[in-house]
Amino acid sequence: MGRIGVTLALVVGSFTAIAQASPEADKLFDEGRKLLDSDPAAACAKFDQAIKLDPDAPGVLLNLGLCNEKLGKYKTAIYWFAKAQKRSTESNLPDYASAAGDHLQTLGKLVARVDITFAGTPPADTKVKIDGDVIAPDDYTHAEVNPGHHVLHAGASGKMIVEQEFDIKATPAGQPGETIALAPITFIAGTNTVIVDRGKTRRRIAWGLAIGGGVLMAASG
């Protein structure tokens, strides 16, 4: 980890020399770097703003991974390090790609996961989401999650939506991330989806105007 830290420091320290971002993105990046050790949450906020101004900056991508790693949000850190590795490879920046790859290897052992199973064979069009993020079928047995409270929703055509809430504890220092088995998802025929008819109010107003107009015409007659 010491070698990774040194490599990453060298890589992200040369951000402005390699990528010509906007002055505002450079300013946010520098502010984030100063906050990284003392307040990683505030640093993440700065890097979030910077990446919106310069979405392809490898240095910002790496630092988003680093600040989330410091916060124990390993799933989110993996997301940013993977983007940094991909972008660095495309831009022929081997040091960036190597630093991101080292962190990905380490975090892969620390991130917590959930095992999603079904009571019976799920329908072919089954959709599973955790906190609104779609989970690919290949990831059902090892879906990565950050520490905290989560809500799972599962649904399929002609089936009632299933909701499960669960909590994930932070991975203790020096220990690998655990995989938690969730209760098997059981689908029941039916629907509990609320369909909102956004044109209903407008139709009521239209009918009211039509009826009112008819009454006025009759009165005038």
Side-chain angles (χ1 to χ4, degrees):
M1 287 298 293
R3 181 178 65 82
I4 294 173
V6 171
T7 301
L8 190 58
L10 292 173
V11 168
V12 299
S14 60
F15 164 70
T16 55
I18 295 178
Q20 295 299 319
S22 70
E24 181 62 21
D26 284 342
K27 178 175 177 292
L28 290 166
F29 177 84
D30 291 337
E31 291 173 352
R33 286 294 298 167
K34 292 175 182 177
L35 291 167
L36 191 57
D37 292 328
S38 60
D39 192 346
C44 275
K46 295 291 184 181
F47 296 139
D48 278 332
Q49 294 178 63
I51 203 66
K52 292 174 183 177
L53 296 173
D54 193 0
D56 294 325
V60 182
L61 294 171
L62 283 167
N63 276 273
L64 276 165
L66 192 57
C67 67
N68 278 286
E69 180 180 353
K70 288 179 176 291
L71 292 171
K73 297 180 179 180
Y74 299 141
K75 175 199 171 184
T76 306
I78 287 173
Y79 169 81
W80 288 113
F81 280 128
K83 286 180 70 71
Q85 186 181 49
K86 181 176 183 296
R87 179 58 184 161
S88 300
T89 301
E90 294 172 347
S91 302
N92 193 28
L93 300 171
D95 288 342
Y96 280 67
S98 177
D102 286 342
H103 278 263
L104 285 171
Q105 185 175 3
T106 299
L107 295 178
K109 301 173 184 177
L110 300 177
V111 66
R113 297 177 172 87
V114 293
D115 183 6
I116 302 169
T117 58
F118 299 84
T121 303
D125 63 346
T126 294
K127 294 289 188 297
V128 178
K129 294 183 178 181
I130 294 180
D131 302 331
D133 294 333
V134 177
I135 307 300
D138 290 343
D139 295 332
Y140 285 165
T141 59
H142 53 272
E144 297 172 348
V145 286
N146 285 324
H149 185 73
H150 302 278
V151 181
L152 175 148
H153 289 98
S157 298
K159 305 295 183 181
M160 297 185 70
I161 294 174
V162 177
E163 179 179 289
Q164 289 187 18
E165 296 188 32
F166 61 95
D167 294 288
I168 298 294
K169 295 180 179 179
T171 301
Q175 296 186 24
E178 62 179 340
T179 297
I180 298 174
L182 301 181
I185 295 171
T186 302
F187 283 126
I188 300 174
T191 178
N192 55 352
T193 303
V194 177
I195 299 176
V196 179
D197 185 352
R198 302 189 183 279
K200 185 176 181 181
T201 301
R202 291 192 294 272
R203 284 198 299 273
R204 282 181 175 175
I205 294 173
W207 276 108
L209 291 173
I211 293 170
V215 170
L216 289 173
M217 288 179 65
S220 63

